[in-house]
């Protein structure tokens, strides 16, 4: 059903594929009568045209992008605005929407969450933004309904910022990248590769957008086929998909580790804009007559079947039919794979969910930016009609993605059909996606039409001996399972009708409740600060030399941002840098915080004019060994701090706190074989942390050992004059009992601005006025 081409390919007239080869140009000439090179044809992709429109550098190899609009939610916008305020922010220079869909419950931490909301409202008034109150819409649904536009670009501080189906190239990044936009700076990247997703056929009844998305993720995640590239959806199969269906596939492209996405547009998308009262925002987007792509994913939609992504990653995919047909083998394999993710900290069982040869599910959730769309919930209602979910342990919760969607479900009767089954309808909220609502019982198995199923992301706490797990599925198969009272069932087994419902968007809901400044700032408005909203602590510039202690060593194949800084219970502390930092790596390495704080004592003493060795006596011996080869090294020109090693850190959320919490605790660097995403590496850099790379193989150091990195400031300064990362090797040393053992680190490619940020110590210092 999915085929990956090994190399690049030409797309001719939107329908004919010619694989790149020595004869390819001649084949294109024969088809079109035009001679064109791959380099020329690459400029005919939709992505290239949009990036060119937004690039300010004049160089399409080195992009400096200015976005049209920004969007954030309530566990990111406080830190973003606080950072920008410290740098002299006076007015939002572009439309900036502050949604409140993550800390909506206001149930933990006293007044903390509502204080953040009032901070957002007063900032929208003072700086000229838009404020969407809690329960009105999840961040991405509001952006689809009110922000997206053909040929536009949107930057969001949430990794699932994806509006490509509507003709908008959107990027999810850490908060500092939004700060740059607020300060009239640019988003700097090399021209990304563009990979076509060529769709043919049409989905069969019972197959939904999550099924298509999971099939694609399963095919491309492990091999990095689209990593940091743009996915461009083209081909005759696009026309067979409704706007809602396309949106449901598109939002999940984040889980492939691609940079962004874009789709060809047509009358379906034009109708979407018309329904939402914004027909003028529609733009017809298609690739040129001959477009060249760096890769091609061929998807026959008619062959996709209901999918399930097993714990603990969206790429652990099989069809539901395959799982039910090979239950014990697949469950046994999943259990073994899970022990790698869980480090053997708790026992994890799935095979005991099998009763009389059937796999029994404990919970179903349809929610958020992926599952809470109108068509998904209407289809679930049709499958559930006349059934009931039972009075045992199985539960089903449904969260429409916005109040306008909820209202339409009430008007057309779908909400009533769902409620009649014993399921629960709730307001727009992202909580089920990151562990702030509907946390299952210990050892329970939840099926969810949401975005991720990382360990403990559903809210259980490994450090407390708890483990529950999530599998990702489409709303249709979740409904079929619910109608079968928890027996895992693909929606293709449903033999009734799944109707097509007309959607009517009621704009009065937002007009009556959302604050929209229309871009007018009011500097007289006083920003409301709750007691939990704290400024960032002082951060020093990069010193001449570094002494780093390795305080955590992680050998999982991939480390998620949830493992670097947990979601769920930490959300209330996202506005309090020191309070949040206490949770750093708490699920993965509970010793990390204490170790990081211990070595941080030395740097704090140095910053305050004291002697690091007095604050941390163990350093006296370390410095003695270093001085045997580097006599000029002293506590005045040498910084002290921590670092972690992880094989491939940064998969998942865009949350900047995965990096900033390490920085707050004295982290100066990460050391990795590679970084899972561009956004995590950018977060490190923007917080003044060195994104070191080390070759795969036996590590030259162990946890708790000290590393010495001489002349690091000089090395970063030199890197600012290089354009491709060549010659970025740095000689570092493991500090032994009586000698220094050399090894090589690399910095990777850094822009001049990134080097300056690292040299200054962080983006705040770089921009401070």
């Amino acid at each position: 059903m999915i085929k990956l081409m090994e190399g690049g390919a030409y797309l001719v007239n939107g329908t004919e594929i010619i694989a790149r080869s020595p004869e390819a140009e001649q084949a294109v000439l024969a088809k079109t009568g035009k001679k064109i090179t791959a380099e020329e044809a690459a400029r005919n992709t939709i992505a290239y045209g949009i990036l060119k429109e937004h690039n300010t550098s004049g160089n399409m190899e080195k992009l400096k992008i200015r976005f049209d609009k920004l969007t954030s939610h309530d566990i990111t916008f406080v830190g973003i605005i606080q950072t920008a305020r410290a740098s002299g922010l006076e007015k939002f220079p572009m439309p900036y929407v502050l949604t409140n869909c993550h800390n909506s419950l206001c149930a933990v931490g006293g007044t903390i969450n509502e204080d953040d909301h009032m901070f957002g409202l007063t900032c929208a008034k003072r700086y000229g933004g838009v404020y969407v109150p809690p329960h009105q819409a999840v961040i991405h649904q509001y952006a689809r309904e009110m922000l997206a536009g053909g040929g536009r670009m949107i930057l969001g501080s949430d990794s699932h910022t994806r509006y490509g189906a509507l003709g908008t190239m959107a990027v999810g990044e850490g908060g500092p990248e939004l700060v740059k936009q607020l300060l009239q700076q640019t988003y700097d990247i090399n021209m990304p590769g563009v990979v076509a997703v060529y769709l043919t056929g049409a989905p069969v009844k019972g197959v939904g957008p999550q099924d298509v998305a999971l099939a694609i993720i399963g095919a491309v995640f492990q091999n990095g086929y689209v990593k940091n590239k743009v996915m461009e959806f083209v081909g005759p199969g696009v026309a067979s998909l409704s706007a809602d269906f396309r949106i449901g596939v598109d939002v999940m492209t984040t889980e492939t580790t691609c940079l962004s996405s874009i789709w060809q547009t047509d009358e379906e998308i034009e109708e979407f804009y018309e329904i939402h009262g914004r027909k003028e925002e529609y733009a017809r987007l298609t690739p040129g007559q001959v477009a060249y792509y760096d890769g091609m994913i061929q998807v026959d939609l008619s062959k996709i079947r209901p999918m399930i992504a097993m714990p603990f990653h969206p790429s652990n995919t099989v069809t539901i039919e395959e799982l039910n047909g090979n239950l014990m083998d697949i469950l046994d394999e999943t259990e073994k794979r899970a022990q790698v993710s869980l480090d053997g900290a708790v026992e994890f069982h799935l095979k005991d969910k099998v009763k009389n040869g059937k796999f029994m599910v404990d919970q179903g959730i349809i929610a958020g930016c992926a599952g809470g769309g109108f068509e998904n919930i209407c289809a679930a209602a049709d499958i559930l009609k006349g059934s009931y979910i039972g009075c045992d342990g199985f539960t089903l919760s449904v969260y429409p993605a916005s109040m306008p969607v909820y209202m339409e479900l009430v008007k057309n009767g779908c909400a009533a059909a769902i409620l009649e089954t014993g399921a629960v309808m709730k307001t727009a909220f992202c909580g089920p996606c990151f562990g702030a609502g509907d946390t299952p019982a210990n050892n329970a198995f939840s099926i969810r039409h949401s975005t991720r199923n990382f360990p403990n992301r559903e809210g259980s706490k490994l450090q407390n001996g708890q483990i529950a797990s999530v599998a990702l599925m489409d709303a249709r198969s979740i409904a079929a399972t619910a109608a079968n009272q928890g027996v895992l069932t693909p929606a293709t087994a449903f033999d009734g009708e799944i109707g097509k419902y007309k959607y009517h968007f009621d704009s009065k809901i937002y007009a009556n409740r959302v604050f929209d400044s229309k871009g007018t700032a009011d500097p007289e408005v006083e920003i409301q600060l709750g007691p939990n909203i704290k400024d960032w602590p002082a951060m020093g510039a990069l010193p001449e030399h570094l002494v780093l202690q390795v305080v955590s060593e992680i050998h999982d194949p991939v480390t998620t941002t949830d493992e670097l800084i947990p979601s769920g219970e930490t959300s209330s502390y996202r506005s309090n840098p020191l309070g949040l930092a206490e949770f750093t790596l708490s699920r993965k390495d509970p010793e990390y915080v204490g170790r990081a704080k211990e070595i941080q004592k030395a740097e704090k003493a140095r910053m305050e004019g004291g002697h690091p060795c007095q604050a941390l006596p163990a350093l006296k011996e370390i410095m003695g060994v270093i001085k045997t080869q580097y006599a000029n090294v002293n506590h005045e020109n040498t910084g002290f701090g921590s670092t972690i090693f992880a094989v491939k850190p940064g998969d998942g959320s865009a949350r900047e706190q995965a990096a900033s919490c390490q920085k707050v605790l004295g982290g100066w660097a990460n050391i990795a074989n590679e970084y899972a995403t561009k956004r995590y590496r950018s977060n490190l850099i923007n917080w003044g942390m060195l994104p070191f790379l080390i070759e795969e193989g036996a590590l030259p150091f162990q946890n708790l050992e000290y590393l010495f990195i001489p002349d690091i400031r000089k090395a970063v300064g030199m890197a600012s004059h290089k354009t491709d990362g060549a010659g970025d090797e740095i000689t570092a040393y493991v500090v032994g009992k009586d000698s220094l053992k050399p090894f090589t680190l690399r910095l990777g490619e850094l822009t001049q601005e990134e080097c300056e940020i690292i040299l200054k110590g962080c983006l705040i210092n770089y921009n401070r006025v």
Side-chain angles (χ1 to χ4, degrees), residues 116 148 152 161 196 216 238 307 345 373 379 448 485-486 510 529 588 700 719:
D116 287 352
R152 302 293 181 90
T161 306
I216 293 171
V238 172
M307 303 291 295
R448 301 189 175 193
Q485 299 188 354
Y510 292 151
L529 295 165
K588 200 69 187 170

Side-chain angles (χ1 to χ4, degrees), residues 5-14 16-25 28 36-49 191-197 225 229-232 234 262 286-297:
M5 296 190 69
E6 291 186 8
Y10 294 87
L11 182 64
V12 180
N13 298 320
E16 296 181 73
I17 300 168
I18 300 175
R20 187 167 189 177
S21 69
E23 298 79 31
E25 286 186 23
V28 171
I36 188 169
T37 65
E39 291 71 23
E40 292 167 335
R43 298 174 197 149
N44 291 333
T45 64
I46 303 169
Y48 186 95
M191 177 66 194
V194 183
V195 173
V197 185
Y225 192 79
K229 296 181 173 67
V230 177
M231 296 175 74
E232 185 161 308
V234 293
I262 193 68
T286 58
Q289 183 186 21
V290 181
Y292 178 79
Y293 295 94
D294 299 285
M296 186 167 288
I297 304 165

Side-chain angles (χ1 to χ4, degrees), residues 26 30 34 123 146 207 236 259-260 267 332 386 435 459 476 488 504 512 530 568 571 597 634 642 680 701 728 731 736:
Q26 281 301 119
K34 298 179 182 177
C123 284
M146 303 298 289
V207 167
L259 178 75
S260 186
E267 292 76 14
D332 184 66
R476 293 150 187 79
L488 185 67
H504 303 90
N512 293 334
S571 297
K597 284 183 173 180
N634 57 58
S642 57
Y680 178 67
F701 53 79
D728 65 337
T731 299

Side-chain angles (χ1 to χ4, degrees), residues 411-743:
K411 287 181 175 179
N412 70 12
C414 286
I418 290 170
L419 293 171
E420 192 174 35
T421 70
V424 178
M425 295 276 287
K426 302 184 181 182
T427 53
F429 180 40
C430 297
C433 189
F434 67 93
D438 288 291
T439 302
N442 192 48
N443 290 314
F445 185 85
S446 178
I447 53 174
R448 301 189 175 193
H449 193 156
S450 59
T451 56
R452 293 200 174 111
N453 61 337
F454 297 160
N456 302 105
R457 190 175 169 97
E458 80 304 315
S460 62
K461 297 181 180 180
L462 194 64
Q463 64 271 31
N464 293 346
Q466 303 169 7
I467 184 64
S469 57
V470 167
L472 301 181
M473 286 169 44
D474 188 82
R476 293 150 187 79
S477 291
I478 293 172
T481 300
N484 212 359
Q485 299 188 354
V487 177
L488 185 67
T489 306
T492 46
F494 173 68
D495 59 5
E497 287 298 315
I498 299 176
K500 293 191 75 173
Y501 292 80
K502 183 73 175 175
Y503 181 67
H504 303 90
F505 175 75
D506 188 341
S507 63
K508 293 193 295 293
I509 294 174
Y510 292 151
N512 293 334
R513 188 71 188 99
V514 171
F515 171 78
D516 187 351
S517 70
K518 308 295 184 184
T520 301
D522 183 356
E524 299 303 313
V525 173
E526 184 177 348
I527 295 173
Q528 189 167 323
L529 295 165
N532 186 60
I533 298 175
K534 305 293 186 184
D535 291 329
W536 294 100
M539 301 177 196
L542 182 69
E544 190 175 339
H545 315 291
L546 280 177
V547 172
L548 304 178
Q549 186 180 27
V550 182
V551 294
S552 187
E553 192 177 334
I554 304 170
H555 290 276
D556 292 0
V558 179
T559 303
T560 69
T561 47
D562 283 74
E563 292 166 317
L564 292 165
I565 182 67
S567 55
E569 77 271 23
T570 70
S571 297
S572 294
Y573 298 93
R574 296 289 182 87
S575 306
N576 183 339
L578 292 172
L580 181 64
E582 294 293 325
F583 294 91
T584 313
L585 279 170
S586 58
R587 293 179 183 169
K588 200 69 187 170
D589 186 353
E591 303 298 318
Y592 167 81
V593 172
R595 291 169 178 168
K597 284 183 173 180
E598 189 68 12
I599 182 65
Q600 190 183 28
K601 290 178 182 177
E603 183 67 6
K604 284 185 174 180
R606 185 182 80 90
M607 294 281 287
E608 294 168 3
H611 202 295
C613 293
Q614 292 178 347
L616 192 64
L619 284 176
K620 187 173 182 180
E621 184 178 344
I622 298 297
M623 293 299 288
V625 174
I626 292 171
K627 281 179 173 292
T628 60
Q629 286 186 227
Y630 288 86
N632 67 325
V633 169
N634 57 58
H635 70 276
E636 294 177 346
N637 61 18
T638 303
F640 301 85
S642 57
T643 188
I644 68 169
F645 168 79
V647 175
K648 188 178 179 181
D651 185 30
S653 171
R655 68 181 70 123
E656 64 181 278
Q657 296 89 352
S660 66
C661 284
Q662 295 178 55
K663 180 69 172 186
V664 165
L665 293 172
W668 275 113
N670 274 196
I671 302 174
N673 296 143
E674 66 172 301
Y675 291 96
T677 58
K678 181 250 177 226
R679 56 184 173 267
Y680 178 67
R681 184 176 183 269
S682 293
N683 283 336
L684 292 174
I685 292 166
N686 285 323
W687 284 105
M689 297 179 68
L690 295 150
F692 284 135
L693 293 164
I694 192 168
E695 292 297 322
E696 291 185 42
L699 278 182
F701 53 79
Q702 295 181 346
N703 203 20
L704 302 184
E705 286 192 307
Y706 286 88
L707 311 179
F708 174 57
I709 307 172
D711 300 314
I712 183 60
R713 187 174 181 86
K714 180 180 178 182
V716 173
M718 291 175 63
S720 68
H721 301 293
K722 299 168 183 173
T723 58
D724 57 3
D728 65 337
E729 294 86 2
I730 292 171
T731 299
Y733 299 89
V734 180
V735 184
K737 204 169 182 83
D738 49 23
S739 64
L740 299 176
K741 183 175 73 174
F743 67 99

